[in-house]
Amino acid sequence: MSDKLLFISAENPFPQDSGGKLRTGNILNILLAKYEVDLLTYPSSKEAAQAEDIPALTVYEVQRTMNYRKAMLRSLYKWRNSSYMSHADVDMKDRIIELCNRHSYRHVFISHSLLGYCIDIVRTALPDAVIITDAHNFESGLSAQLAGRKKGIAKAFYSLNAVWTRRDELKLMDKTNLLLTTSEQDGLSFKALSFKNSFKVHVIPNFIRMSDYRTSTLFPKEPWIILPGNMNYFPNINAASYFYRDIYPLVKARVPGIKWYIVGRDVHPEVAQLAEKDPSIVITGFVDSVADYIRKAQVVIAPLKEGSGTRLKILEAWALKTPVVSSTKGAEGLLYEHSANIMIADDPVTFADSVVRLLQDHEKGIGLADHAFQTLMANYEAESVREKLLSLV
């Protein structure tokens, strides 16, 4: 019989409709080859979504009471990050204690650095358990980036968030046995917090399972640009606004029939307004398959100016052989070579030129996508990281 592992995640990985859920679900899938996994999480926001029928996986759900508004207020007197994930211990504490007392897990996997407060609960029940934390992002850096774009009271609030988050990341380095990061850049940021704990940091890059993307259906390419992602995440909101304001007019002037699809869940009002201003912009909201839209598109864009970790939206485009134009920040952490497996552009004119070239030069797009696919298979497909992950956990 396999050992049992407790896997704690504030994001239910089913369905896998965002980058965070993709990472969580893909890591979970690999761990199921070695462990019987008890997944503790919140219910999915989609009524029809449920865990795959996997014998080695048991899902325990707790109701979510800690919404974003409550979390922001609670952060002011608890002095911790304002994300609801940083306060998930309120909802999960009793169930964590119950499960730890019942099963005496030797390994506990915490699927986000913002869930660090759950570690104290686990340690009280299981002082000898090996705790592995998957950071997803360097959150204090993200908070600082967000603060940099704010003014007045909001700037002060998010600046405090950055301070509190940095303090908690330092504590996390002390308390966890292993810390997984998505990129070398994030790994170095964590190591810089605590030299004595730097040995705990290991890079497990974002990756995908190619089996999830294979299809026998042929999808003809359309004159579409695609921006995929969670559209309530501030780097994506800002990227959409930047592309609309500074880049898209330059593209439309040269390719009049172009359509721009913004594909992702939780659409922020600022993003929703873009389609009201321009009928060539289509905002889908949640879709069952983002991959189907990426397959049809001629170009995927990642015009990000903020962010952390690595972008699974780029890896999905690489898997589906759709060429990508990205900012340097958007491609951060990935192995890339400009004009070989991706187009990199950090100013509006160059970005627009790159998009137009791929819309008009199909041979260039095919070559770019083929090289990107080779990079993906060598470095970011599940089989390329499986052995390292299972050797650590």
Side-chain angles (χ1 to χ4, degrees):
M1 178 181 288
S2 303
D3 285 346
K4 289 184 74 70
L5 175 144
L6 177 61
F7 193 108
I8 302 173
S9 175
E11 281 196 304
N12 191 316
F14 307 104
Q16 293 191 280
D17 57 2
S18 71
K21 290 184 176 187
L22 274 170
R23 180 172 177 85
T24 299
N26 288 345
I27 286 178
L28 178 61
N29 182 269
I30 288 179
L31 294 180
L32 284 166
K34 184 175 180 179
Y35 298 98
E36 290 185 12
V37 177
D38 288 342
L39 169 63
L40 178 62
T41 187
Y42 288 120
S44 171
S45 58
K46 307 298 175 187
E47 292 183 7
Q50 51 186 299
E52 298 167 298
D53 185 18
I54 303 174
L57 177 64
T58 304
V59 180
Y60 297 91
E61 295 180 339
V62 295
Q63 292 302 311
R64 178 169 147 181
T65 66
M66 194 53 59
N67 59 31
Y68 287 102
R69 183 180 295 273
K70 288 182 180 178
M72 290 184 74
L73 291 173
R74 194 169 185 266
S75 71
L76 291 171
Y77 63 87
K78 286 293 185 178
W79 292 7
R80 63 171 78 169
N81 184 283
S82 60
S83 167
Y84 81 92
M85 290 191 194
S86 292
H87 304 265
D89 53 305
V90 174
D91 298 329
M92 294 186 168
K93 180 178 180 180
D94 291 344
R95 204 58 186 271
I96 290 174
I97 293 172
E98 174 197 338
L99 289 170
C100 287
N101 288 338
R102 189 194 311 173
H103 297 293
S104 298
Y105 305 101
R106 290 196 293 175
H107 295 82
V108 177
F109 193 99
I110 308 287
S111 185
H112 210 295
S113 58
L114 291 177
L115 295 176
Y117 282 92
C118 293
I119 293 179
D120 290 335
I121 303 170
V122 173
R123 286 281 181 229
T124 300
L126 300 173
D128 297 324
V130 175
I131 297 179
I132 306 97
T133 304
D134 185 28
H136 280 240
N137 295 298
F138 186 60
E139 290 292 337
S140 62
L142 273 177
S143 294
Q145 291 174 39
L146 180 57
R149 298 185 65 90
K150 300 293 183 179
K151 296 180 180 179
I153 294 175
K155 186 177 187 70
F157 175 74
Y158 287 108
S159 294
L160 285 171
N161 259 265
V163 173
W164 298 333
T165 307
R166 188 177 183 85
R167 175 207 63 196
D168 289 340
E169 286 170 340
L170 181 56
K171 291 180 180 178
L172 176 67
M173 291 282 285
D174 280 328
K175 294 175 181 179
T176 195
N177 295 99
L178 287 173
L179 182 72
L180 308 182
T181 68
T182 67
S183 68
E184 293 290 347
Q185 288 91 332
D186 281 6
L188 290 172
S189 295
F190 276 104
K191 289 178 180 180
L193 287 177
S194 175
F195 177 77
K196 69 175 182 178
N197 289 309
S198 61
F199 70 94
K200 298 179 179 180
V201 179
H202 298 268
V203 177
I204 296 293
N206 280 329
F207 62 95
I208 63 172
R209 296 182 295 173
M210 272 308 302
S211 58
D212 292 339
Y213 296 90
R214 295 192 178 100
T215 179
S216 58
T217 304
L218 293 177
F219 290 84
K221 289 292 186 181
E222 304 284 352
W224 294 354
I225 301 166
I226 296 281
L227 174 63
N230 178 351
M231 285 303 144
N232 200 33
Y233 179 48
F234 83 88
N236 290 341
I237 297 169
N238 294 337
S241 297
Y242 163 59
F243 187 79
Y244 171 79
R245 182 184 65 249
D246 296 339
I247 303 171
Y248 193 45
L250 303 177
V251 175
K252 284 203 304 177
R254 297 163 64 184
V255 189
I258 193 65
K259 286 281 188 181
W260 174 21
Y261 279 75
I262 300 175
V263 184
R265 62 186 178 93
D266 301 334
V267 179
H268 190 276
E270 186 177 330
V271 177
Q273 289 175 3
L274 301 182
E276 298 172 7
K277 299 174 183 176
D278 189 332
S280 72
I281 300 173
V282 180
I283 297 177
T284 66
F286 171 80
V287 295
D288 289 330
S289 176
V290 176
D292 287 349
Y293 285 84
I294 295 176
R295 284 188 181 97
K296 293 180 182 179
Q298 289 187 359
V299 185
V300 168
I301 58 170
L304 283 85
K305 293 191 169 185
E306 303 104 346
S308 178
T310 56
R311 256 54 65 188
L312 272 153
K313 68 186 74 174
I314 292 179
L315 297 184
E316 287 192 293
W318 287 2
L320 297 166
K321 294 193 174 182
T322 300
V324 178
V325 181
S326 174
S327 62
T328 300
K329 172 57 76 171
E332 186 177 70
L334 296 175
L335 295 172
Y336 70 83
E337 182 181 350
H338 169 62
S339 200
N341 57 9
I342 196 170
M343 301 297 286
I344 299 295
D346 289 316
D347 67 87
V349 172
T350 306
F351 205 109
D353 286 346
S354 298
V355 171
V356 171
R357 181 180 179 188
L358 292 175
L359 289 170
Q360 297 178 340
D361 185 349
H362 300 304
E363 290 303 316
K364 175 63 177 177
I366 291 170
L368 205 72
D370 284 343
H371 282 100
F373 183 79
Q374 294 169 20
T375 304
L376 171 85
M377 294 303 292
N379 302 279
Y380 304 110
E381 206 281 327
E383 292 307 313
S384 68
V385 302
R386 180 184 300 274
E387 184 177 344
K388 181 176 181 180
L389 178 61
L390 292 179
S391 71
L392 290 170
V393 182

